[in-house]
Amino acid sequence: MQAQLQHYLDKLAYEIDSWDLSVSLKNNDRVIVIDARAPEAYAEEHIPGAINVPHRTMSDESVAQLDRAALIVTYCDGIGCNASTKGALNMTRLGFRVKELMGGLDWWKRDGHPTAGKQAAPGNSEIVCGC
């Protein structure tokens, strides 16, 4: 039972869902959202306010301007992509406090949140989380 309890505590410590992220962004919490995909994917569609730092380019130099006290949230396309996991690993190695967005951009959109970029979607302003 203790191992299972620790498993769930770890999941909550290292993952965030789209509802909780949207609330943090609306509350102006110290959160930096990083799209860990290639620049071309980011240009097509991304979470509003997210910055593009492809996981392959993450280094002390490429993230030097980021607030080290902020929570970093990494994401990618969704469950079929692991750029968010690679980004979370890299950012953790660089000394940041990191969570990975569950379901990535796919679940962000499925939950009705807006996107930005060439393929931007307005989202659903009447989002109600059933969590």
Side-chain angles (χ1 to χ4, degrees), residues 46-126:
H46 57 271
I47 294 173
I51 61 171
N52 183 224
V53 184
H55 69 86
R56 289 182 176 95
T57 68
M58 292 175 176
S59 66
D60 285 323
E61 296 78 25
S62 68
V63 300
Q65 79 285 359
L66 299 182
D67 179 0
R68 290 195 170 267
L71 171 65
I72 302 295
V73 175
T74 62
Y75 76 92
C76 58
D77 286 332
I79 60 173
C81 176
N82 66 3
S84 63
T85 303
K86 291 175 181 178
L89 175 62
N90 290 340
M91 295 301 290
T92 301
R93 284 180 173 157
L94 291 167
F96 290 88
R97 185 171 57 102
V98 182
K99 288 190 178 188
E100 186 176 7
L101 179 62
M102 297 169 58
L105 185 61
D106 180 36
W107 284 4
W108 176 265
K109 294 187 312 186
R110 286 180 192 219
D111 284 346
H113 301 291
T115 60
K118 294 176 189 173
Q119 300 294 320
N124 175 358
S125 62
E126 297 181 24

Side-chain angles (χ1 to χ4, degrees), residues 16 19-33 67 69-71 97:
I16 189 169
W19 176 263
D20 288 339
L21 177 57
S22 71
V23 169
S24 289
L25 293 171
K26 287 175 188 166
N27 289 340
N28 293 314
D29 293 344
R30 288 175 87 171
V31 175
I32 298 171
V33 182
D67 179 0
L71 171 65
R97 185 171 57 102

